[in-house]
């Protein structure tokens, strides 16, 4: 999914936000642990998508992101 597609999604309902806040499952046994070498392969999101780093939104409900270069 692209950022443009994400921007077009409808806002989350209050019910859905509440479900996410109330999530208590701590059983992640189906998620394998990553080794140190595997973790080192990860890159920060702003190096993969630098176009997102300078995103500014007009309304106050959206986050203004500014990443030092």
């Amino acid at each position: 999914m692209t950022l443009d597609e994400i921007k077009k999604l409808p806002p989350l309902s209050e019910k859905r936000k509440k479900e996410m806040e109330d999530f208590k499952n701590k059983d992640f046994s189906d998620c394998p642990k990553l080794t140190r070498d595997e973790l080192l392969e990860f890159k920060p999101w702003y190096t993969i998508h630098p176009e997102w780093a300078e995103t500014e939104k007009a309304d106050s409900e959206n986050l203004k992101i500014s990443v030092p270069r």
Side-chain angles (χ1 to χ4, degrees), residues 23 25-35 38:
F23 181 74
N25 183 11
K26 297 208 175 11
D27 177 19
F28 298 107
S29 59
D30 60 333
C31 302
K33 292 196 179 226
L34 297 174
T35 65
E38 290 171 323

Side-chain angles (χ1 to χ4, degrees), residues 12-63:
L12 293 174
S13 67
E14 292 302 317
K15 179 182 174 187
R16 183 64 179 133
K17 288 179 189 178
K18 181 76 173 141
E19 288 173 358
M20 292 170 20
E21 290 171 3
D22 293 341
F23 181 74
K24 302 283 188 244
N25 183 11
K26 297 208 175 11
D27 177 19
F28 298 107
S29 59
D30 60 333
C31 302
K33 292 196 179 226
L34 297 174
T35 65
R36 181 175 296 276
D37 290 335
E38 290 171 323
L39 289 171
L40 289 172
E41 292 179 24
F42 285 95
K43 298 176 183 169
W45 63 269
Y46 51 84
T47 62
I48 297 170
H49 295 285
E51 69 276 13
W52 296 357
E54 299 300 326
T55 301
E56 287 190 39
K57 298 290 181 184
D59 65 67
S60 62
E61 290 187 21
N62 290 306
L63 177 65

